[in-house]
Amino acid sequence: MSNTSMLQLLGSKELDPNADFADGSRNLKSAMEEAKAGDVVPLRNLCGRTNRARSTRVTLRTANKGPSRKKIGCAESTGTQFLVTGPRHGFYTGFDKLQGALEIYTAAFDKITVNADANTMTVDGAVHFQDVVEALYAVGKNIRESILDLGPCVGIVGATMGAGLGRLQGLYGFISDNLLSARLMLPDTTVIEVSSESNPELFWGLRGAGFNFGFVLNATYRVHDEVPNGQHFNADFQFPLNATRAFFQALKDHGSQLPAPLCIDAAVLWNSTLNSTSLYVNAVYAGPENEGRKAIDFLSEIGSPIRQSQSVVPWRELTQTAFFQEFGLGEASLTCGITEGIRKAFGAAYNTVNVDSQVQAHELFNEMVTRFPGTRASDMSLQFCAQQGTNAFSDDSTAYSWRKALGQQAFTITYPSNGTTDADIDNLPERMRDAIAATADTDGLAVYVGFSGGDEPIEAIWSKDHLPRLAALKKQYDPNGLFNAYHPLPTVY
């Protein structure tokens, strides 16, 4: 089980932003920012000053951007395992296994450049989705944004490395489908260009397993003209938990025919005001209100909601408006920046909607938060978007393996910081996931890496068809496993 804060795992040593390399050539900040394809940045010349005896977090603070945002890490030696991070959300139980590892903290990489005429955008490796939304909205452009009201704190490059799911994927595909190129620092600190024309096989692997191969200094994406007037129709509903069966029956009956601009997110959460569990549904249609209302008409089959709200909002305000403008929805852990308690993630993708399995999983969630009040900041969420955009690309177009999934289930379990384990709560989180996976029609557990916790078999993250190619890439680019901190690939499969 992993605490959300990596700082509790790794020690820290700060360095002057203008510190020179030991050989006197230049300082780290300028070397990293100016690196071009083929350059080798001699990180060891600077980082040899650190202590190898324990896990190390060596950070570089910039002098003019504040003490908490502008940092960059450097490696102590080529024998040290890496974990590249920045301001982020997310957690992964595999981090508990890190020994003698190094966190490379990259928040200083936060630049955005938009070329509206060429419909391209280049972002540094630590840029957040909300920053992207603001920059693109200002020039009448958009891109597939992050899921489940978490946009402000999700890093666009980090999401790309897994695939990048989101509300606009019915129109544009996954965020990785819109990646044009990336500048990648390899484990040996060589900087290379990766695209469909330059290192194309690595470009394939980067889009689905990119965290295994290096550090993305920046990435260039295809962007799109905003929908007319930049307005999106947003509809929110809160239902009692007993509406679960009707909701999933509606998805089963209509989900495979959703119009391309429509995406449905849902979350099951404990509501302290009602002293019970509620089902929240958010539907967003990227287009005119009259079309949006028609597109979500089938949701009327669910029954009478506890409350509901419909509005037309600019794209830049969508994440703040969705789910009744309630980041985190009361006590839930959907919010950015939660640092208290211990959290664990589970996930399951499914190719078919099995209503009975969904009801079972939701009843298990309700049992957990009812019997064990310390878990009431947990949530069980769902993403169910139109598929026209994602299906426009072949299964083998990127390393992401679950392109044909109809829906994605994610479980964020929050425990009190008192040593509570899954066994103490009757393994209810695993039982929820197993209930979905058993009837998912995915030939075993299939998990989007962004919803993974770390206990999944490797074949749940990547398909058996993709793993041989990925293993060959790992052997070529990271044979010593320096980038093995997060879902490491084997070098042979």
Side-chain angles (χ1 to χ4, degrees), residues 48-70:
R49 310 169 190 176
T50 65
N51 178 13
R52 285 182 59 94
R54 61 185 176 89
S55 295
T56 306
R57 182 176 186 265
V58 184
T59 66
L60 182 71
R61 292 186 186 271
T62 57
N64 59 350
K65 295 284 183 144
S68 63
R69 295 185 62 242
K70 295 292 185 176

Side-chain angles (χ1 to χ4, degrees), residues 95-115:
F95 292 152
D96 283 349
K97 301 174 184 177
L98 289 178
Q99 296 294 327
L102 176 92
E103 182 182 10
I104 306 175
Y105 191 64
T106 63
F109 288 75
D110 62 355
K111 296 182 179 63
I112 304 173
T113 303
V114 179
N115 186 330

Side-chain angles (χ1 to χ4, degrees), residues 399-415:
Y400 176 61
S401 297
W402 317 126
R403 182 174 292 274
K404 301 303 183 185
L406 272 179
Q408 300 277 351
Q409 210 89 7
F411 310 87
T412 303
I413 311 301
T414 303
Y415 310 77

Side-chain angles (χ1 to χ4, degrees), residues 21 61 68 91 102 178 202 265 328 436 456 487:
F21 289 114
R61 292 186 186 271
S68 63
F91 37 91
L102 176 92
N178 293 275
L202 182 56
D265 293 332
I436 302 300
E456 304 87 356
H487 284 296

Side-chain angles (χ1 to χ4, degrees), residues 327-358:
F327 277 116
L329 296 170
E331 298 179 40
S333 58
L334 290 176
T335 340
C336 300
I338 287 181
T339 57
E340 300 299 322
I342 296 173
R343 294 194 289 173
K344 191 170 182 179
F346 298 89
Y350 46 93
N351 293 336
T352 60
V353 178
N354 186 289
V355 177
D356 290 339
S357 295
Q358 289 288 350

Side-chain angles (χ1 to χ4, degrees), residues 365-376:
F365 180 90
N366 187 52
E367 178 185 349
M368 181 185 74
V369 295
T370 301
R371 290 177 56 198
F372 305 103
T375 65
R376 287 180 178 173

Side-chain angles (χ1 to χ4, degrees), residues 122-366:
T122 299
V123 301
D124 281 358
V127 168
H128 288 171
F129 270 107
Q130 189 58 40
D131 299 324
V132 167
V133 169
E134 296 290 343
L136 291 178
Y137 188 79
V139 294
K141 304 294 180 180
N142 70 10
I143 195 170
R144 202 258 351 115
E145 90 282 29
S146 186
I147 59 168
L148 288 173
D149 213 28
L150 287 173
C153 58
V154 178
I156 182 171
V157 172
T160 304
M161 298 302 95
L165 315 182
R167 291 189 179 99
L168 299 179
Q169 68 187 48
L171 291 171
Y172 310 133
F174 301 128
I175 188 70
S176 58
D177 296 329
N178 293 275
L179 181 67
L180 298 175
S181 65
R183 286 172 62 244
L184 183 68
M185 179 180 286
L186 297 174
D188 65 0
T189 69
T190 301
V191 178
I192 64 172
E193 190 82 13
V194 184
S195 69
S196 60
E197 297 180 352
S198 179
N199 301 294
E201 183 69 1
L202 182 56
F203 186 56
W204 173 84
L206 198 69
R207 295 169 296 159
F211 37 82
N212 267 276
F213 307 117
F215 163 40
V216 176
L217 299 173
N218 56 47
T220 299
Y221 296 88
R222 178 189 306 108
V223 298
H224 309 270
D225 292 338
E226 178 57 280
V227 298
N229 301 314
Q231 301 294 303
H232 294 233
F233 175 66
N234 178 84
D236 295 315
F237 305 87
Q238 179 184 355
F239 296 97
L241 187 64
N242 61 15
T244 299
R245 180 173 292 278
F247 172 61
F248 281 97
Q249 188 63 55
L251 287 184
K252 181 178 178 66
D253 293 343
H254 304 279
S256 62
Q257 293 95 32
L258 297 183
L262 180 62
C263 185
I264 295 171
D265 293 332
V268 176
L269 311 162
W270 178 263
N271 186 295
S272 58
T273 302
L274 299 176
N275 199 36
S276 63
T277 304
S278 289
L279 168 66
Y280 297 82
V281 177
N282 169 252
V284 172
Y285 185 88
E289 179 179 2
N290 62 326
E291 293 180 10
R293 289 188 178 277
K294 181 179 179 181
I296 68 165
D297 184 63
F298 73 96
L299 294 178
S300 64
E301 299 171 13
I302 301 173
S304 299
I306 296 171
R307 58 173 172 157
Q308 60 181 310
S309 174
Q310 286 85 42
S311 58
V312 176
V313 297
W315 181 52
R316 65 189 296 268
E317 298 176 9
L318 188 55
T319 53
Q320 295 91 335
T321 303
F323 289 110
F324 300 103
Q325 303 182 40
E326 297 173 4
F327 277 116
L329 296 170
E331 298 179 40
S333 58
L334 290 176
T335 340
C336 300
I338 287 181
T339 57
E340 300 299 322
I342 296 173
R343 294 194 289 173
K344 191 170 182 179
F346 298 89
Y350 46 93
N351 293 336
T352 60
V353 178
N354 186 289
V355 177
D356 290 339
S357 295
Q358 289 288 350
V359 171
Q360 179 187 0
H362 285 68
E363 289 176 346
L364 289 170
F365 180 90
N366 187 52

